[in-house]
Amino acid sequence: MKIKTLLAGMICSLSLFTTQTANAATDVVLIIDTSGSTGALLPTWQRNMESKVFAPFLYEDPETRFGLAAHVDFPMSPYGTSGDYAYKMVHPLTHETQDILLSLKALRSGSGGDAKESQLEAVYQAIKGTGRDLNGNGSYDDLGDIKPQKMGWSNDPDVTKIVIHFTSPLVYHNDPTAEDNYPYKGVVNKPASFIDMVLAYSELPAIYTVTPDPLVAAKHKSAQSSTHEQLMELIERSNQLQGFSGQLESLLPENKSNLASDSASTAEKLSSLSGGKVLHVSSNLSDFEKAVAEVIEKEAEKRGECPVGKTKVELPFGFYCI
């Protein structure tokens, strides 16, 4: 209250005015981890998606479109079992939220084999939709292949683009590229790595990860190569590509603290790269709605706007939402 009073006084003394900016259209793709690790969480996600995700976004922007994807892991031992999938587009982006809800309710938990899952490949496919022909025979019909499936992201640069990934735990396969035999020995077209995400930087929506788990990357540090070595490889590869101007450093966002940390999880690195965030919720997801509100507020701030219900106060040194 004191802060609001102080701001109000400053506004009056400076003869400034307040505005409430209309929000731009929004595309939100939800990626659901349906592995065994999230089996107890899936019913809660399904039950609360309409009221705690769709409703807040639609209140903020009635033109919001939603898309839905899911993943377990590749159906090869020890990574997964028969019936598992590394990625599938459940429903492309649409205004018809009831269609999304019906598709969401039809999802069932799979296995996933080991602790790590195909989160990185799933995020990559949800954004790019290029598919994965693992053995390179051009069919996309072999075991574990992912058919090309476009989510239908808007091409309008003014549309806010968001990925919200519901997953647990925060350990991803193929990052860095140290798993030569993932998902099987002799694979020709390997699943996406963090390097691939960096190379797709200009196309990335803001990637948010919602998880009930604490960060666990430090416990798995021995399974990762150093971030320094990884970044050197990224720079080398990026400079080999046509159309890449300058060094990798100039392409990354200002907040690179997590990218420079060996103990950062892949989820943290993705959030730093894309301008998203890793959001931790309680094990019973009681604060699920709070996490979604944080996504909405963060994206509004990026656009220089305020969430619905708050007023933008313009000051010489910036703006505030009150």
Side-chain angles (χ1 to χ4, degrees):
M1 184 61 70
K2 290 182 179 180
I3 294 176
K4 290 184 179 181
T5 303
L6 176 62
L7 287 173
M10 294 176 68
I11 294 166
C12 292
S13 63
L14 292 171
S15 299
L16 299 176
F17 60 88
T18 62
T19 61
Q20 178 126 14
T21 309
N23 297 306
T26 308
D27 280 354
V28 180
V29 169
L30 311 170
I31 304 177
I32 309 295
D33 179 345
T34 58
S35 66
S37 302
T38 64
L41 302 174
L42 182 57
T44 304
W45 288 335
Q46 292 168 321
R47 186 169 58 252
N48 289 287
M49 198 63 70
E50 183 172 22
S51 62
K52 296 189 176 182
V53 178
F54 290 179
F57 271 105
L58 291 171
Y59 178 73
E60 183 74 15
D61 174 13
E63 295 303 312
T64 298
R65 296 192 304 162
F66 296 95
L68 180 64
H71 72 85
V72 187
D73 205 342
F74 288 96
M76 295 89 164
S77 179
Y79 307 111
T81 60
S82 177
D84 285 351
Y85 49 90
Y87 171 81
K88 68 177 178 181
M89 186 183 73
V90 181
H91 202 291
L93 282 155
T94 179
H95 292 292
E96 302 299 328
T97 56
Q98 290 304 311
D99 292 347
I100 299 289
L101 289 172
L102 287 173
S103 298
L104 175 64
K105 290 176 181 178
L107 290 177
R108 297 292 180 266
S109 292
S111 173
D114 56 353
K116 297 180 182 181
E117 311 298 356
S118 59
Q119 293 103 320
L120 195 53
E121 176 71 7
V123 173
Y124 184 83
Q125 292 297 337
I127 297 167
K128 300 280 287 183
T130 51
R132 185 71 58 188
D133 176 14
L134 292 172
N135 64 10
N137 68 355
S139 75
Y140 295 96
D141 289 323
D142 298 303
L143 183 66
D145 281 355
I146 301 170
K147 292 182 182 295
Q149 304 166 91
K150 294 294 184 180
M151 185 60 72
W153 294 96
S154 172
N155 293 321
D156 186 341
D158 293 329
V159 170
T160 298
K161 302 175 182 69
I162 301 169
V163 162
I164 303 180
H165 187 189
F166 302 92
T167 188
S168 174
L170 292 180
V171 283
Y172 293 10
H173 278 302
N174 216 33
D175 177 45
T177 52
E179 297 177 270
D180 289 335
N181 295 327
Y182 175 66
Y184 61 84
K185 187 175 182 179
V187 59
V188 175
N189 294 314
K190 296 181 179 180
S193 67
F194 184 70
I195 293 172
D196 295 312
M197 301 302 293
V198 172
L199 296 178
Y201 170 65
S202 63
E203 302 175 52
L204 297 184
I207 301 169
Y208 293 87
T209 302
V210 178
T211 180
D213 287 351
L215 297 178
V216 294
K219 298 179 182 179
H220 299 270
K221 186 176 177 180
S222 61
Q224 300 184 6
S225 65
S226 72
T227 302
H228 174 74
E229 292 174 352
Q230 183 186 16
L231 291 179
M232 291 304 100
E233 183 179 356
L234 294 178
I235 291 173
E236 182 179 353
R237 284 188 58 179
S238 69
N239 290 335
Q240 294 173 354
L241 296 181
Q242 293 183 353
F244 250 63
S245 58
Q247 299 292 316
L248 175 67
E249 182 73 11
S250 66
L251 297 174
L252 297 177
E254 292 182 5
N255 179 19
K256 296 182 284 291
S257 59
N258 283 332
L259 291 175
S261 171
D262 283 338
S263 62
S265 68
T266 308
E268 288 178 291
K269 293 175 184 178
L270 285 177
S271 66
S272 291
L273 182 66
S274 66
K277 191 173 182 178
V278 176
L279 300 168
H280 294 279
V281 295
S282 58
S283 58
N284 64 1
L285 305 184
S286 59
D287 46 359
F288 189 20
E289 193 169 10
K290 182 179 178 181
V292 173
E294 189 169 348
V295 173
I296 292 173
E297 187 161 351
K298 183 176 175 67
E299 290 303 309
E301 288 175 358
K302 288 183 191 177
R303 299 190 300 267
E305 301 172 357
C306 293
V308 172
K310 292 189 176 183
T311 301
K312 181 177 179 180
V313 180
E314 303 278 0
L315 296 172
F317 44 82
F319 76 89
Y320 291 85
C321 296
I322 59 174

